[in-house]
Amino acid sequence: MLTTTTDTLEGFEITEYLGLVMGETILGANIIRDIMATVTDYIGGRSGAYEETLSKSRKAALEEMTDRAHMMGADAVVGIDLDYETVGSRGAMLMVTCSGTAVRLRKL
């Protein structure tokens, strides 16, 4: 499945717009990650544990979105928008949402 943040795909013509598709995921960071992130916050540097959680969340949301587009008979999803937010009483959970338009294509 082709995916893009743009509204067109070079070399293809959009022949049909099938509708909006979305993907959502919420992943929690465990206590070990929280401790390591706190240490990283004080000494500087990157938080590998949180980066890994972010990457897993993004991949899961995009996969869910493309699976929904596939069920609609789409060849691609265009105009993809990704959003990130922390949720929960302590902000310890990461929510990633994505949306785009499922389309059918014809190769030029």
Side-chain angles (χ1 to χ4, degrees):
M1 168 97 34
L2 297 173
T3 58
T4 182
T5 58
T6 63
D7 58 354
T8 61
L9 282 164
E10 190 172 328
F12 293 92
E13 175 187 18
I14 295 174
T15 60
E16 188 176 358
Y17 291 88
L18 302 174
L20 184 66
V21 286
M22 291 169 273
E24 308 89 12
T25 187
I26 299 176
L27 286 180
N30 65 32
I31 189 70
I32 302 300
R33 287 187 178 141
D34 285 344
I35 292 168
M36 293 307 294
T38 300
V39 170
T40 301
D41 189 34
Y42 284 113
I43 64 172
R46 296 172 63 164
S47 173
Y50 278 130
E51 287 176 359
E52 181 182 337
T53 299
L54 177 62
S55 178
K56 284 181 181 179
S57 297
R58 182 178 51 249
K59 287 177 185 176
L62 287 167
E63 184 176 311
E64 182 177 300
M65 182 188 65
T66 56
D67 286 349
R68 289 176 177 169
H70 181 73
M71 289 189 305
M72 296 169 73
D75 300 314
V77 180
V78 298
I80 295 173
D81 179 53
L82 285 158
D83 290 305
Y84 306 88
E85 191 168 331
T86 56
V87 295
S89 60
R90 296 178 337 188
M93 300 185 81
L94 177 66
M95 176 174 65
V96 178
T97 60
C98 59
S99 62
T101 303
V103 297
R104 288 199 178 116
L105 302 172
R106 180 177 66 86
K107 189 160 180 61
L108 297 175

